[in-house]
């Protein structure tokens, strides 16, 4: 009872203490950024405050990484603005087409990346909208506007960094240590169940992989955390990849245990307690189970060591690469559609004949580019449209009811408190829709209020800003109906086609680009994307099952290739060539026969081929189906 009470997080008004401290840090950083921007008399002080809202993240490493990418992307976007306007300033239609092309390029880049890198690509796109489109009638002012924006962003970055250091914002690695170790222990606890023939459905296993792959942006953020950040990031990346390799090993244990006699499974279960490896040289199934359990044990020990290295800040002996799979076809079509939406919105605004719609067009570009980094761009647009009138109401209350003409800075700080802290608290809730509303409202409120020195309190300007925002979000919802995102079924079919193509191309028969564990993580990221591209319908479940089956098959082939490469060149070269031909043909019985021939030839020469024969047996089982393979036991080696 006492332990449960001690472990319960502190709460106030139904929110955790960590949520309150984050909200207060955000509010203080906004106030500091505005104070410095007012003192320096910057042209766009609200940009400094908006920078803080963009960097509203819970840990120091995440903030520093995003701040770095925000500065880099701003410079890139400003450079692109100057170049595009310099070339096409005389022709407004060509200028908008060039903007749309640049926006599509940035969306394409964002689709190939993740985390703050994807955000940087999106920012490079909408910076052009903010800097160039809003100055489309005054191109000679772009450079001055760019300098003002860059200065305000720098002030915002320095303000949030100072406040985080002053109030000791938490580091990210303790939470990552807990997450990684928890996931690792879940896999360890499942080994016994796998030996008993119990395994979660494919959809659950795909969800597990999605959960692990989703840690990658957090792990990348560790590099910006303290002096040991890069080392901790390397250790965490190794642990993440090791966990994916463990999942494959657990699934392989389940498949192999089903093909072994019950007595062998009992011995394997007892081996979990005493650490001994189950071995029986007369049965390929048992040899494969012994090798896989030993591989699982070593992988678990390595993963545990990497987690300890993450915790202590020690450099791991080697660094694995956590590459993501990205379908260039999916990303390219998404970028083309993004550019098309921008052009359609621009055409509608042009036909309307309204003046000052460049601000609305800027909002359109911002939502399109940021939506490209969201799991569901259309849902992001809808949430942005819902948040617009809510933010307009709160901004109006702040400007005309709370402040109501006040000019003293302390009044501004106090007036902003409930709106910024309330939105920041909403960001931390577990509900994804409410969390997104909180983050967007935090930005929209400051964007509509647009704090300045002195504050104008002009109702007409405020109503125009609200009109432009609501118009942009509403129009974009309609534009996305005309030019919808790539359908989930289409994305899923393209991803599955790539799964089949990659499986056909194995084994690589040469120096592979990735180690087996690295390739496993890349395949896991593709499984996660296939999982996202569905709605739990029958077709989607079949696709996830195929993706997980191919995940197992590809891993078995890669490990098989590694073991066979250890035997070449050598006295078993002809047998190894036969084994390679068997795995290239993906024929289970040929794999079993080649494993038996390899063992027989090795016994004459007193060479150990346990790893090669075990992985051949494992690969044959993966390609044979769910049950034991006829002729896969001791009689296959006689």
């Amino acid at each position: 009872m006492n332990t449960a009470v001690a472990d319960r997080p502190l709460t106030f008004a139904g929110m955790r203490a960590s949520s309150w401290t984050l909200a207060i840090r955000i509010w203080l950083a906004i106030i500091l950024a505005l104070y410095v921007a007012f003192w320096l008399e910057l042209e766009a002080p609200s940009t400094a405050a908006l920078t803080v809202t963009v960097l509203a993240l819970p840990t120091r490493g995440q903030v520093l990484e995003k701040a770095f990418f925000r500065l880099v992307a701003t410079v890139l976007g400003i450079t692109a603005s100057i170049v595009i306007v310099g070339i096409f300033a005389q022709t407004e239609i060509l200028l908008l087409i060039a903007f749309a092309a640049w926006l599509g390029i940035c969306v394409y880049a964002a689709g190939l990346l993740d985390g703050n890198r994807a955000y940087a690509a999106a920012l490079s796109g909408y910076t052009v909208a903010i800097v160039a489109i809003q100055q489309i009638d005054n191109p000679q002012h772009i450079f001055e506007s760019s300098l003002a924006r860059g200065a305000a962003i720098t002030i915002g970055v320095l303000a949030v960094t100072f406040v985080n250091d002053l109030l000791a914002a938490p580091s990210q690695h303790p939470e990552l240590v807990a997450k990684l170790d928890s996931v690792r222990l879940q896999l360890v606890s499942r080994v016994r169940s796998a030996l008993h023939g119990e395994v979660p459905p494919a959809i659950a296993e795909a969800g597990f992989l999605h959960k692990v792959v989703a840690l990658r942006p957090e792990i990348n953020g560790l590099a910006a955390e303290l002096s040991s950040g890069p080392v901790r990031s390397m250790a965490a990346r190794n642990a993440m990849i090791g966990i994916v390799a463990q999942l494959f090993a657990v699934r392989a244990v389940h498949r192999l245990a089903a093909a072994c006699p019950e007595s062998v499974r009992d011995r394997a279960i007892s081996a979990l307690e005493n650490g001994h490896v189950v071995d029986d040289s007369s049965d390929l199934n048992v040899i494969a189970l012994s090798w896989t359990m030993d591989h699982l044990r070593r992988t678990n020990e390595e993963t545990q060591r990497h987690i300890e290295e993450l915790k202590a800040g020690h450099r791991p002996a080697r660094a694995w690469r956590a590459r993501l799979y990205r379908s260039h076809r999916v990303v390219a079509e998404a970028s083309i559609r993004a550019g098309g939406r921008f052009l359609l919105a621009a055409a509608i605004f042009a036909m309307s004949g309204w003046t000052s719609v460049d601000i609305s067009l800027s909002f359109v570009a911002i939502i399109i580019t940021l939506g490209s980094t969201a799991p569901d761009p259309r849902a992001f647009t809808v949430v942005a449209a819902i948040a617009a009138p809510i933010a307009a109401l709160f901004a109006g209350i702040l400007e005309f009811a709370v402040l109501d003409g006040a000019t003293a800075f302390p009044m501004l700080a106090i007036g902003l408190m409930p709106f910024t802290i309330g939105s920041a608290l909403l960001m931390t809730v577990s509900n994804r829709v409410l969390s997104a509303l909180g983050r967007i409202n935090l930005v929209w409120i400051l964007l509509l209020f647009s704090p300045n020195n002195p504050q104008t309190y002009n109702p007409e300007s405020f109503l125009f800003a609200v009109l432009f925002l609501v118009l942009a979000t509403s129009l974009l919802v309609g534009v996305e109906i005309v030019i919808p995102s790539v359908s989930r079924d289409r994305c899923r079919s393209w991803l599955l086609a790539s799964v089949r193509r990659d499986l056909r191309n194995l084994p690589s028969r040469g120096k592979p680009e990735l180690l087996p564990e690295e390739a496993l993580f890349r395949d896991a990221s593709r499984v996660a994307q296939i999982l996202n591209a569905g709605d739990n319908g029958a077709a989607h479940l079949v696709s996830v099952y195929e993706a997980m089956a191919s995940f197992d098959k590809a891993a078995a082939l890669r490990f098989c290739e590694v073991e066979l490469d250890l035997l070449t060149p050598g006295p078993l070269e002809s047998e190894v060539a036969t084994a390679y031909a068997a795995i290239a043909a993906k024929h289970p019985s040929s794999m079993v026969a080649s494993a038996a021939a390899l063992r027989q030839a090795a016994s004459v020469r007193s060479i150990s081929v346990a790893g090669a024969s075990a992985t051949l047996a494992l690969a044959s089982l993966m390609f044979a189906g769910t049950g034991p393979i006829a002729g896969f036991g001791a009689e296959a080696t006689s």
Side-chain angles (χ1 to χ4, degrees):
M1 178 69 71
N2 293 334
T3 302
V5 172
D7 292 342
R8 188 179 302 159
L10 295 175
T11 60
F12 176 73
M15 303 297 292
R16 293 189 176 189
S18 58
S19 300
W20 282 101
T21 55
L22 171 63
I24 291 171
R25 288 202 312 270
I26 293 170
W27 170 67
L28 289 176
I30 289 173
I31 298 307
L32 177 60
L34 285 174
Y35 182 85
V36 174
F38 289 165
W39 179 60
L40 294 176
E41 298 183 354
L42 295 183
E43 179 183 328
S46 61
T47 302
L50 287 170
T51 296
V52 174
T53 65
V54 170
L55 301 179
L57 296 168
T59 64
R60 183 187 293 109
Q62 290 174 307
V63 169
L64 291 176
E65 187 198 31
K66 193 167 187 177
F68 169 77
F69 282 114
R70 181 169 176 81
L71 291 172
V72 171
T74 298
V75 172
L76 181 60
I78 288 173
T79 304
S81 299
I82 295 173
V83 171
I84 292 173
V85 172
I87 297 174
F88 301 103
Q90 304 303 318
T91 309
E92 189 170 310
I93 294 177
L94 291 179
L95 188 62
L96 289 174
I97 293 174
F99 286 155
W102 173 253
L103 187 144
I105 291 171
C106 292
V107 168
Y108 181 84
L112 297 178
L113 302 169
D114 71 330
N116 288 327
R117 290 167 175 79
Y119 163 75
L123 175 60
S124 299
Y126 73 73
T127 295
V128 173
I130 294 174
V131 173
I133 293 181
Q134 292 188 17
Q135 299 292 336
I136 198 169
D137 295 325
N138 300 289
Q140 67 274 13
H141 293 156
I142 284 182
F143 185 73
E144 293 84 351
S145 176
S146 301
L147 287 179
R149 177 172 172 79
I153 288 175
T154 303
I155 294 300
V157 169
L158 293 176
V160 73
T161 303
F162 175 78
V163 170
N164 281 344
D165 288 342
L166 181 66
L167 298 183
S171 297
Q172 194 173 1
H173 71 269
E175 184 179 355
L176 268 175
V177 167
K179 287 181 180 179
L180 290 169
D181 203 41
S182 173
V183 174
R184 181 190 67 83
L185 291 174
Q186 288 179 37
L187 286 177
V188 171
S189 66
R190 283 176 45 187
V191 180
R192 185 183 295 272
S193 299
L195 288 168
H196 280 296
E198 301 172 11
V199 65
I203 194 77
E205 298 283 58
F208 184 91
L209 289 178
H210 182 275
K211 178 181 178 181
V212 175
V213 172
L215 296 175
R216 187 178 183 273
E218 295 183 47
I219 290 172
N220 288 338
L222 286 177
E225 190 175 87
L226 305 176
S227 59
S228 61
V231 173
R232 293 185 193 272
S233 179
M234 191 185 305
R237 191 179 305 114
N238 286 1
M240 175 179 62
I241 294 173
I243 287 171
V244 174
Q246 276 184 261
L247 176 67
F248 162 72
V250 171
R251 288 172 60 83
V253 164
H254 166 258
R255 298 290 296 275
L256 289 164
C260 289
E262 185 176 354
S263 59
V264 173
R265 293 198 295 270
D266 293 338
R267 286 159 51 200
I269 293 171
S270 66
L272 290 176
E273 283 83 20
N274 56 39
H276 295 161
V277 178
V278 179
D279 197 3
D280 186 340
S281 59
S282 65
D283 195 317
L284 275 175
N285 284 336
V286 181
I287 292 173
L289 179 61
S290 301
W291 182 90
T292 305
M293 289 191 64
D294 186 57
H295 173 74
L296 176 59
R297 177 186 57 78
R298 286 185 282 105
T299 303
N300 178 58
E301 290 174 355
E302 287 182 5
T303 303
Q304 190 173 13
R305 184 176 69 251
H306 293 316
I307 293 175
E308 291 299 323
E309 290 167 342
L310 164 63
K311 186 177 182 180
H314 294 160
R315 179 180 293 275
R318 61 179 176 181
W320 277 334
R321 295 168 293 176
R323 291 192 179 177
L324 296 174
Y325 177 83
R326 287 292 185 259
S327 170
H328 288 270
R329 188 175 182 181
V330 172
V331 174
E333 183 153 344
S335 67
I336 293 171
R337 290 171 185 248
R341 292 188 196 113
F342 178 82
L343 283 178
L344 179 58
I348 293 173
F349 283 135
M351 288 187 295
S352 68
W354 296 333
T355 58
S356 302
V357 294
D358 50 342
I359 299 176
S360 283
L361 200 55
S362 299
F363 288 147
V364 167
I366 291 171
I367 297 169
I368 288 175
T369 49
L370 287 181
S372 67
T373 66
D376 189 341
R378 176 165 176 76
F380 178 85
T381 303
V382 171
V383 172
I386 295 172
I390 298 174
L393 175 63
F394 287 148
I397 293 172
L398 170 63
E399 185 166 356
F400 301 107
V402 176
L403 296 177
D404 192 23
T407 57
F409 188 81
M411 288 296 297
L412 173 63
I414 295 172
L416 282 172
M417 181 187 292
F419 299 96
T420 54
I421 290 181
S423 297
L425 287 173
L426 192 60
M427 282 168 40
T428 63
V429 302
S430 57
N431 186 287
R432 294 177 60 181
V433 175
L434 292 178
S435 178
L437 276 173
R439 179 169 291 279
I440 294 175
N441 264 327
L442 183 62
V443 177
W444 280 170
I445 289 172
L446 279 173
L447 189 66
L448 293 172
F449 173 55
S450 190
N452 215 323
N453 188 27
Q455 191 73 24
T456 60
Y457 295 103
N458 187 334
E460 184 179 350
S461 298
F462 176 78
L463 289 175
F464 271 118
V466 171
L467 173 64
F468 292 144
L469 178 60
V470 173
L471 181 63
T473 54
S474 303
L475 177 63
L476 193 52
V477 170
V479 166
E480 289 201 353
I481 296 174
V482 179
I483 307 178
S485 300
V486 185
S487 70
R488 290 187 170 189
D489 290 342
R490 200 169 181 182
C491 288
R492 190 170 63 240
S493 66
W494 287 344
L495 290 169
L496 282 175
S498 70
V499 168
R500 296 164 189 148
R501 182 179 61 251
D502 287 356
L503 191 59
R504 283 196 305 269
N505 292 335
L506 289 174
S508 59
R509 289 310 305 265
K511 189 175 181 180
E513 181 184 2
L514 300 174
L515 296 173
E517 293 83 0
E518 295 171 338
L520 265 171
F521 182 83
R522 180 177 177 271
D523 290 348
S525 71
R526 179 163 49 191
V527 170
Q529 292 172 53
I530 293 173
L531 180 68
N532 280 338
D535 53 4
N536 291 333
H540 177 57
L541 294 176
V542 170
S543 299
V544 172
Y545 180 86
E546 180 182 349
M548 289 303 301
S550 297
F551 172 82
D552 294 335
K553 293 174 183 178
L557 290 178
R558 292 191 185 101
F559 283 114
C560 195
E561 186 174 9
V562 168
E563 294 294 336
L564 290 174
D565 283 345
L566 295 176
L567 301 176
T568 54
L572 302 177
E573 193 164 351
S574 62
E575 287 81 5
V576 169
T578 302
Y580 259 118
I583 60 175
K586 317 293 190 300
H587 199 279
S589 60
S590 298
M591 296 179 197
V592 173
S594 62
L598 194 62
R599 293 186 64 217
Q600 185 174 2
S603 64
V604 175
R605 298 172 176 84
S606 299
I607 300 174
S608 174
V609 292
S613 58
T615 51
L616 280 167
L618 175 59
S620 68
L621 185 62
M622 292 299 184
F623 280 90
T626 56
I629 303 171
F632 192 74
E635 65 276 7
T637 64
S638 59

